Amino acid sequence: MPFDPHSVDCWIFDLDNTLYPSSANLFSQIDVLMGKFITELLGCDQAEARRIQKMYFHDHGTTLAGLMHFHTVEPAEFLAYVHDVDMSVLDAAPRLADRLHALPGRRLIFTNADATYATRALDRLGIADCFEGIWDIQAMEYRPKPEAGAYLGMIDHFAINPTRAVFIEDSARNLPPAKRLGMQTVWIDMQTEWGEQAKDDSTIDVKIDDMAAWLDQVVGELARKP
């Protein structure tokens, strides 16, 4: 194992395209709804809406952050609109649930989505009871990953010792702040268009492409004495 799981007492997971495969295409539904929201908001065509959507995502961490900054969009309205998605594309994940329950210590969700959406996804996957809490975009006061304050707020709220925590995330650009704080980091490469954006290999301790398979390895290592 590239890191020692015996030293971890807090397991922090991103949600979208991390705890379920990108092949579910759940985020593609959100992507379409974001485009529609921007089209209606600005009265532009779909091509321009997509350009603005991606520009804000890349420059501000989330599309919402850009819309709030430049267009004073009400975040609750935007989140309710873009998260009105069909969760039936997600399959129950009993193997993942089993492996998550086998991890010692605390387990948290750290997501740029809101808690309502996150809870719906976790319920659909059958893993909601695997986690102690969710640190979402509202808890971050709409200042999303990779802004340092998002991480510091979570650490303070849940009284996390970062040197005993590991953060698992599909967007490589969200790992450097965690690494600087002393966390171990795992990048799950889901082959998405944004996954490798701003990737810094020096801030990635482990690279994986299958969450359940990696957790199988971790649980096996934990079964042995440190």
mmCIF file of all heavy atoms in Angstrom, residues 124-161:
data_model
loop_
_atom_site.group_PDB
_atom_site.id
_atom_site.type_symbol
_atom_site.label_atom_id
_atom_site.label_comp_id
_atom_site.label_asym_id
_atom_site.label_seq_id
_atom_site.Cartn_x
_atom_site.Cartn_y
_atom_site.Cartn_z
ATOM 1 N N ARG A 124 -29.845 6.361 -2.441
ATOM 2 C CA ARG A 124 -30.012 5.525 -3.627
ATOM 3 C C ARG A 124 -28.917 4.455 -3.698
ATOM 4 O O ARG A 124 -29.173 3.309 -4.083
ATOM 5 C CB ARG A 124 -29.986 6.400 -4.883
ATOM 6 C CG ARG A 124 -30.131 5.632 -6.190
ATOM 7 C CD ARG A 124 -31.532 5.074 -6.364
ATOM 8 N NE ARG A 124 -31.600 4.211 -7.547
ATOM 9 C CZ ARG A 124 -32.680 3.581 -7.953
ATOM 10 N NH1 ARG A 124 -33.818 3.724 -7.276
ATOM 11 N NH2 ARG A 124 -32.667 2.809 -9.016
ATOM 12 N N LEU A 125 -27.703 4.831 -3.325
ATOM 13 C CA LEU A 125 -26.580 3.888 -3.334
ATOM 14 C C LEU A 125 -26.652 2.905 -2.158
ATOM 15 O O LEU A 125 -25.952 1.882 -2.167
ATOM 16 C CB LEU A 125 -25.257 4.646 -3.278
ATOM 17 C CG LEU A 125 -24.909 5.483 -4.518
ATOM 18 C CD1 LEU A 125 -23.771 6.455 -4.192
ATOM 19 C CD2 LEU A 125 -24.507 4.580 -5.684
ATOM 20 N N GLY A 126 -27.464 3.228 -1.154
ATOM 21 C CA GLY A 126 -27.568 2.376 0.027
ATOM 22 C C GLY A 126 -26.397 2.519 0.972
ATOM 23 O O GLY A 126 -26.070 1.589 1.712
ATOM 24 N N ILE A 127 -25.776 3.709 0.999
ATOM 25 C CA ILE A 127 -24.586 3.902 1.841
ATOM 26 C C ILE A 127 -24.730 5.104 2.780
ATOM 27 O O ILE A 127 -23.744 5.519 3.397
ATOM 28 C CB ILE A 127 -23.308 4.064 0.985
ATOM 29 C CG1 ILE A 127 -23.428 5.254 0.027
ATOM 30 C CG2 ILE A 127 -23.017 2.773 0.216
ATOM 31 C CD1 ILE A 127 -22.145 5.540 -0.750
ATOM 32 N N ALA A 128 -25.943 5.647 2.905
ATOM 33 C CA ALA A 128 -26.116 6.840 3.732
ATOM 34 C C ALA A 128 -25.681 6.596 5.172
ATOM 35 O O ALA A 128 -25.108 7.489 5.818
ATOM 36 C CB ALA A 128 -27.572 7.308 3.686
ATOM 37 N N ASP A 129 -25.946 5.387 5.688
ATOM 38 C CA ASP A 129 -25.615 5.120 7.080
ATOM 39 C C ASP A 129 -24.137 4.838 7.303
ATOM 40 O O ASP A 129 -23.708 4.585 8.430
ATOM 41 C CB ASP A 129 -26.462 3.968 7.626
ATOM 42 C CG ASP A 129 -26.153 2.636 6.955
ATOM 43 O OD1 ASP A 129 -25.497 2.630 5.883
ATOM 44 O OD2 ASP A 129 -26.577 1.590 7.495
ATOM 45 N N CYS A 130 -23.351 4.909 6.238
ATOM 46 C CA CYS A 130 -21.897 4.698 6.364
ATOM 47 C C CYS A 130 -21.180 5.957 6.834
ATOM 48 O O CYS A 130 -19.999 5.890 7.197
ATOM 49 C CB CYS A 130 -21.299 4.264 5.029
ATOM 50 S SG CYS A 130 -21.898 2.689 4.398
ATOM 51 N N PHE A 131 -21.876 7.099 6.821
ATOM 52 C CA PHE A 131 -21.198 8.370 7.040
ATOM 53 C C PHE A 131 -21.737 9.114 8.249
ATOM 54 O O PHE A 131 -22.938 9.160 8.495
ATOM 55 C CB PHE A 131 -21.325 9.245 5.786
ATOM 56 C CG PHE A 131 -20.660 8.631 4.585
ATOM 57 C CD1 PHE A 131 -21.401 7.890 3.667
ATOM 58 C CD2 PHE A 131 -19.295 8.742 4.407
ATOM 59 C CE1 PHE A 131 -20.789 7.299 2.573
ATOM 60 C CE2 PHE A 131 -18.672 8.155 3.314
ATOM 61 C CZ PHE A 131 -19.419 7.436 2.401
ATOM 62 N N GLU A 132 -20.818 9.745 8.958
ATOM 63 C CA GLU A 132 -21.164 10.512 10.150
ATOM 64 C C GLU A 132 -21.779 11.861 9.790
ATOM 65 O O GLU A 132 -22.655 12.363 10.501
ATOM 66 C CB GLU A 132 -19.900 10.740 10.984
ATOM 67 C CG GLU A 132 -20.083 11.659 12.173
ATOM 68 C CD GLU A 132 -18.774 11.931 12.897
ATOM 69 O OE1 GLU A 132 -17.903 11.038 12.921
ATOM 70 O OE2 GLU A 132 -18.618 13.037 13.428
ATOM 71 N N GLY A 133 -21.309 12.458 8.704
ATOM 72 C CA GLY A 133 -21.798 13.782 8.360
ATOM 73 C C GLY A 133 -21.438 14.167 6.938
ATOM 74 O O GLY A 133 -20.675 13.477 6.256
ATOM 75 N N ILE A 134 -22.005 15.293 6.491
ATOM 76 C CA ILE A 134 -21.776 15.816 5.156
ATOM 77 C C ILE A 134 -21.334 17.276 5.285
ATOM 78 O O ILE A 134 -22.023 18.084 5.931
ATOM 79 C CB ILE A 134 -23.064 15.757 4.299
ATOM 80 C CG1 ILE A 134 -23.536 14.314 4.131
ATOM 81 C CG2 ILE A 134 -22.848 16.424 2.938
ATOM 82 C CD1 ILE A 134 -24.914 14.193 3.485
ATOM 83 N N TRP A 135 -20.195 17.603 4.688
ATOM 84 C CA TRP A 135 -19.756 19.002 4.609
ATOM 85 C C TRP A 135 -20.037 19.464 3.187
ATOM 86 O O TRP A 135 -19.383 19.059 2.249
ATOM 87 C CB TRP A 135 -18.272 19.116 4.947
ATOM 88 C CG TRP A 135 -17.820 20.523 5.217
ATOM 89 C CD1 TRP A 135 -16.944 21.261 4.471
ATOM 90 C CD2 TRP A 135 -18.191 21.350 6.325
ATOM 91 N NE1 TRP A 135 -16.769 22.509 5.025
ATOM 92 C CE2 TRP A 135 -17.518 22.589 6.168
ATOM 93 C CE3 TRP A 135 -19.036 21.188 7.414
ATOM 94 C CZ2 TRP A 135 -17.670 23.641 7.080
ATOM 95 C CZ3 TRP A 135 -19.181 22.233 8.322
ATOM 96 C CH2 TRP A 135 -18.500 23.439 8.155
ATOM 97 N N ASP A 136 -21.081 20.300 3.038
ATOM 98 C CA ASP A 136 -21.582 20.625 1.708
ATOM 99 C C ASP A 136 -21.344 22.095 1.360
ATOM 100 O O ASP A 136 -20.754 22.848 2.144
ATOM 101 C CB ASP A 136 -23.065 20.278 1.610
ATOM 102 C CG ASP A 136 -23.961 21.256 2.361
ATOM 103 O OD1 ASP A 136 -23.484 21.931 3.310
ATOM 104 O OD2 ASP A 136 -25.151 21.365 2.000
ATOM 105 N N ILE A 137 -21.818 22.502 0.190
ATOM 106 C CA ILE A 137 -21.572 23.853 -0.310
ATOM 107 C C ILE A 137 -22.178 24.911 0.606
ATOM 108 O O ILE A 137 -21.636 26.020 0.729
ATOM 109 C CB ILE A 137 -22.101 23.991 -1.761
ATOM 110 C CG1 ILE A 137 -21.609 25.287 -2.404
ATOM 111 C CG2 ILE A 137 -23.620 23.879 -1.796
ATOM 112 C CD1 ILE A 137 -20.120 25.359 -2.596
ATOM 113 N N GLN A 138 -23.280 24.595 1.254
ATOM 114 C CA GLN A 138 -23.879 25.564 2.179
ATOM 115 C C GLN A 138 -23.034 25.710 3.434
ATOM 116 O O GLN A 138 -22.835 26.830 3.918
ATOM 117 C CB GLN A 138 -25.310 25.126 2.510
ATOM 118 C CG GLN A 138 -26.247 25.207 1.311
ATOM 119 C CD GLN A 138 -27.596 24.567 1.556
ATOM 120 O OE1 GLN A 138 -27.712 23.597 2.298
ATOM 121 N NE2 GLN A 138 -28.626 25.095 0.915
ATOM 122 N N ALA A 139 -22.525 24.600 3.949
ATOM 123 C CA ALA A 139 -21.634 24.666 5.109
ATOM 124 C C ALA A 139 -20.363 25.451 4.777
ATOM 125 O O ALA A 139 -19.793 26.123 5.644
ATOM 126 C CB ALA A 139 -21.273 23.255 5.579
ATOM 127 N N MET A 140 -19.936 25.375 3.508
ATOM 128 C CA MET A 140 -18.751 26.120 3.051
ATOM 129 C C MET A 140 -19.047 27.592 2.809
ATOM 130 O O MET A 140 -18.163 28.332 2.393
ATOM 131 C CB MET A 140 -18.223 25.511 1.749
ATOM 132 C CG MET A 140 -17.767 24.083 1.815
ATOM 133 S SD MET A 140 -17.333 23.505 0.143
ATOM 134 C CE MET A 140 -17.777 21.780 0.261
ATOM 135 N N GLU A 141 -20.306 27.996 3.051
ATOM 136 C CA GLU A 141 -20.748 29.365 2.787
ATOM 137 C C GLU A 141 -20.528 29.711 1.313
ATOM 138 O O GLU A 141 -20.163 30.835 0.965
ATOM 139 C CB GLU A 141 -20.049 30.358 3.723
ATOM 140 C CG GLU A 141 -20.375 30.096 5.187
ATOM 141 C CD GLU A 141 -19.700 31.060 6.138
ATOM 142 O OE1 GLU A 141 -18.695 31.696 5.735
ATOM 143 O OE2 GLU A 141 -20.168 31.176 7.282
ATOM 144 N N TYR A 142 -20.753 28.720 0.465
ATOM 145 C CA TYR A 142 -20.694 28.845 -0.996
ATOM 146 C C TYR A 142 -19.300 29.214 -1.516
ATOM 147 O O TYR A 142 -19.170 29.727 -2.626
ATOM 148 C CB TYR A 142 -21.753 29.847 -1.495
ATOM 149 C CG TYR A 142 -23.135 29.438 -1.069
ATOM 150 C CD1 TYR A 142 -23.784 30.094 -0.024
ATOM 151 C CD2 TYR A 142 -23.781 28.351 -1.657
ATOM 152 C CE1 TYR A 142 -25.046 29.689 0.401
ATOM 153 C CE2 TYR A 142 -25.042 27.941 -1.242
ATOM 154 C CZ TYR A 142 -25.668 28.611 -0.217
ATOM 155 O OH TYR A 142 -26.904 28.203 0.208
ATOM 156 N N ARG A 143 -18.275 28.902 -0.714
ATOM 157 C CA ARG A 143 -16.889 29.037 -1.172
ATOM 158 C C ARG A 143 -16.336 27.617 -1.301
ATOM 159 O O ARG A 143 -15.902 27.026 -0.309
ATOM 160 C CB ARG A 143 -16.073 29.889 -0.211
ATOM 161 C CG ARG A 143 -16.534 31.351 -0.179
ATOM 162 C CD ARG A 143 -15.563 32.237 0.577
ATOM 163 N NE ARG A 143 -15.631 31.990 2.003
ATOM 164 C CZ ARG A 143 -16.455 32.627 2.836
ATOM 165 N NH1 ARG A 143 -17.318 33.517 2.374
ATOM 166 N NH2 ARG A 143 -16.443 32.367 4.130
ATOM 167 N N PRO A 144 -16.368 27.068 -2.504
ATOM 168 C CA PRO A 144 -16.190 25.618 -2.689
ATOM 169 C C PRO A 144 -14.735 25.156 -2.721
ATOM 170 O O PRO A 144 -13.798 25.961 -2.802
ATOM 171 C CB PRO A 144 -16.836 25.411 -4.071
ATOM 172 C CG PRO A 144 -16.509 26.693 -4.801
ATOM 173 C CD PRO A 144 -16.643 27.775 -3.773
ATOM 174 N N LYS A 145 -14.583 23.833 -2.647
ATOM 175 C CA LYS A 145 -13.291 23.245 -3.006
ATOM 176 C C LYS A 145 -12.914 23.773 -4.388
ATOM 177 O O LYS A 145 -13.794 23.877 -5.251
ATOM 178 C CB LYS A 145 -13.389 21.716 -3.084
ATOM 179 C CG LYS A 145 -13.780 21.014 -1.829
ATOM 180 C CD LYS A 145 -13.899 19.488 -2.053
ATOM 181 C CE LYS A 145 -15.114 19.104 -2.884
ATOM 182 N NZ LYS A 145 -15.286 17.632 -3.025
ATOM 183 N N PRO A 146 -11.673 24.135 -4.657
ATOM 184 C CA PRO A 146 -10.497 23.942 -3.812
ATOM 185 C C PRO A 146 -10.113 25.131 -2.941
ATOM 186 O O PRO A 146 -8.926 25.265 -2.578
ATOM 187 C CB PRO A 146 -9.409 23.670 -4.851
ATOM 188 C CG PRO A 146 -9.788 24.523 -6.019
ATOM 189 C CD PRO A 146 -11.299 24.516 -6.043
ATOM 190 N N GLU A 147 -11.044 26.018 -2.589
ATOM 191 C CA GLU A 147 -10.687 27.129 -1.706
ATOM 192 C C GLU A 147 -10.300 26.582 -0.331
ATOM 193 O O GLU A 147 -10.972 25.703 0.220
ATOM 194 C CB GLU A 147 -11.853 28.109 -1.572
ATOM 195 C CG GLU A 147 -12.121 28.925 -2.829
ATOM 196 C CD GLU A 147 -12.984 30.135 -2.559
ATOM 197 O OE1 GLU A 147 -12.999 30.619 -1.406
ATOM 198 O OE2 GLU A 147 -13.654 30.602 -3.500
ATOM 199 N N ALA A 148 -9.234 27.141 0.230
ATOM 200 C CA ALA A 148 -8.700 26.630 1.491
ATOM 201 C C ALA A 148 -9.727 26.672 2.609
ATOM 202 O O ALA A 148 -9.774 25.774 3.462
ATOM 203 C CB ALA A 148 -7.458 27.427 1.886
ATOM 204 N N GLY A 149 -10.577 27.701 2.618
ATOM 205 C CA GLY A 149 -11.549 27.826 3.689
ATOM 206 C C GLY A 149 -12.529 26.680 3.763
ATOM 207 O O GLY A 149 -13.028 26.349 4.853
ATOM 208 N N ALA A 150 -12.812 26.045 2.622
ATOM 209 C CA ALA A 150 -13.731 24.902 2.617
ATOM 210 C C ALA A 150 -13.170 23.765 3.461
ATOM 211 O O ALA A 150 -13.907 23.092 4.195
ATOM 212 C CB ALA A 150 -13.982 24.434 1.186
ATOM 213 N N TYR A 151 -11.869 23.553 3.371
ATOM 214 C CA TYR A 151 -11.198 22.481 4.106
ATOM 215 C C TYR A 151 -11.047 22.856 5.580
ATOM 216 O O TYR A 151 -11.286 22.027 6.466
ATOM 217 C CB TYR A 151 -9.820 22.214 3.495
ATOM 218 C CG TYR A 151 -9.856 21.859 2.027
ATOM 219 C CD1 TYR A 151 -10.110 22.828 1.055
ATOM 220 C CD2 TYR A 151 -9.626 20.555 1.587
ATOM 221 C CE1 TYR A 151 -10.160 22.507 -0.290
ATOM 222 C CE2 TYR A 151 -9.659 20.229 0.243
ATOM 223 C CZ TYR A 151 -9.937 21.210 -0.695
ATOM 224 O OH TYR A 151 -9.982 20.897 -2.036
ATOM 225 N N LEU A 152 -10.644 24.093 5.821
ATOM 226 C CA LEU A 152 -10.432 24.526 7.204
ATOM 227 C C LEU A 152 -11.733 24.519 7.989
ATOM 228 O O LEU A 152 -11.749 24.140 9.164
ATOM 229 C CB LEU A 152 -9.810 25.922 7.215
ATOM 230 C CG LEU A 152 -8.384 26.017 6.658
ATOM 231 C CD1 LEU A 152 -7.970 27.477 6.494
ATOM 232 C CD2 LEU A 152 -7.403 25.274 7.554
ATOM 233 N N GLY A 153 -12.824 24.917 7.338
ATOM 234 C CA GLY A 153 -14.115 24.893 8.021
ATOM 235 C C GLY A 153 -14.526 23.487 8.414
ATOM 236 O O GLY A 153 -15.039 23.255 9.507
ATOM 237 N N MET A 154 -14.312 22.534 7.495
ATOM 238 C CA MET A 154 -14.640 21.144 7.788
ATOM 239 C C MET A 154 -13.779 20.612 8.925
ATOM 240 O O MET A 154 -14.283 19.931 9.850
ATOM 241 C CB MET A 154 -14.444 20.286 6.536
ATOM 242 C CG MET A 154 -14.675 18.803 6.754
ATOM 243 S SD MET A 154 -14.397 17.812 5.257
ATOM 244 C CE MET A 154 -12.648 18.113 4.966
ATOM 245 N N ILE A 155 -12.488 20.889 8.878
ATOM 246 C CA ILE A 155 -11.575 20.414 9.915
ATOM 247 C C ILE A 155 -12.002 20.938 11.282
ATOM 248 O O ILE A 155 -12.025 20.197 12.282
ATOM 249 C CB ILE A 155 -10.132 20.851 9.590
ATOM 250 C CG1 ILE A 155 -9.595 20.016 8.422
ATOM 251 C CG2 ILE A 155 -9.218 20.724 10.802
ATOM 252 C CD1 ILE A 155 -8.289 20.525 7.846
ATOM 253 N N ASP A 156 -12.374 22.209 11.329
ATOM 254 C CA ASP A 156 -12.788 22.812 12.597
ATOM 255 C C ASP A 156 -14.123 22.240 13.070
ATOM 256 O O ASP A 156 -14.273 21.883 14.246
ATOM 257 C CB ASP A 156 -12.890 24.328 12.417
ATOM 258 C CG ASP A 156 -13.294 25.026 13.700
ATOM 259 O OD1 ASP A 156 -12.542 24.956 14.681
ATOM 260 O OD2 ASP A 156 -14.382 25.644 13.729
ATOM 261 N N HIS A 157 -15.082 22.128 12.156
ATOM 262 C CA HIS A 157 -16.422 21.672 12.542
ATOM 263 C C HIS A 157 -16.408 20.243 13.072
ATOM 264 O O HIS A 157 -17.080 19.944 14.078
ATOM 265 C CB HIS A 157 -17.357 21.761 11.341
ATOM 266 C CG HIS A 157 -18.756 21.326 11.638
ATOM 267 N ND1 HIS A 157 -19.676 22.150 12.257
ATOM 268 C CD2 HIS A 157 -19.397 20.141 11.416
ATOM 269 C CE1 HIS A 157 -20.812 21.496 12.394
ATOM 270 N NE2 HIS A 157 -20.681 20.287 11.892
ATOM 271 N N PHE A 158 -15.656 19.369 12.416
ATOM 272 C CA PHE A 158 -15.643 17.961 12.819
ATOM 273 C C PHE A 158 -14.444 17.609 13.704
ATOM 274 O O PHE A 158 -14.250 16.426 14.023
ATOM 275 C CB PHE A 158 -15.644 17.066 11.578
ATOM 276 C CG PHE A 158 -16.939 17.066 10.818
ATOM 277 C CD1 PHE A 158 -17.048 17.760 9.618
ATOM 278 C CD2 PHE A 158 -18.051 16.399 11.295
ATOM 279 C CE1 PHE A 158 -18.243 17.770 8.905
ATOM 280 C CE2 PHE A 158 -19.256 16.402 10.600
ATOM 281 C CZ PHE A 158 -19.346 17.095 9.398
ATOM 282 N N ALA A 159 -13.664 18.609 14.105
ATOM 283 C CA ALA A 159 -12.490 18.388 14.965
ATOM 284 C C ALA A 159 -11.587 17.295 14.392
ATOM 285 O O ALA A 159 -11.249 16.314 15.063
ATOM 286 C CB ALA A 159 -12.921 18.049 16.391
ATOM 287 N N ILE A 160 -11.196 17.481 13.139
ATOM 288 C CA ILE A 160 -10.363 16.509 12.431
ATOM 289 C C ILE A 160 -8.888 16.820 12.646
ATOM 290 O O ILE A 160 -8.471 17.985 12.573
ATOM 291 C CB ILE A 160 -10.680 16.552 10.920
ATOM 292 C CG1 ILE A 160 -12.126 16.137 10.660
ATOM 293 C CG2 ILE A 160 -9.722 15.672 10.131
ATOM 294 C CD1 ILE A 160 -12.603 16.478 9.258
ATOM 295 N N ASN A 161 -8.104 15.798 12.898
ATOM 296 C CA ASN A 161 -6.644 15.913 12.858
ATOM 297 C C ASN A 161 -6.225 15.591 11.430
ATOM 298 O O ASN A 161 -6.281 14.428 11.028
ATOM 299 C CB ASN A 161 -6.001 14.940 13.839
ATOM 300 C CG ASN A 161 -4.480 14.981 13.783
ATOM 301 O OD1 ASN A 161 -3.883 15.651 12.933
ATOM 302 N ND2 ASN A 161 -3.834 14.254 14.684
#
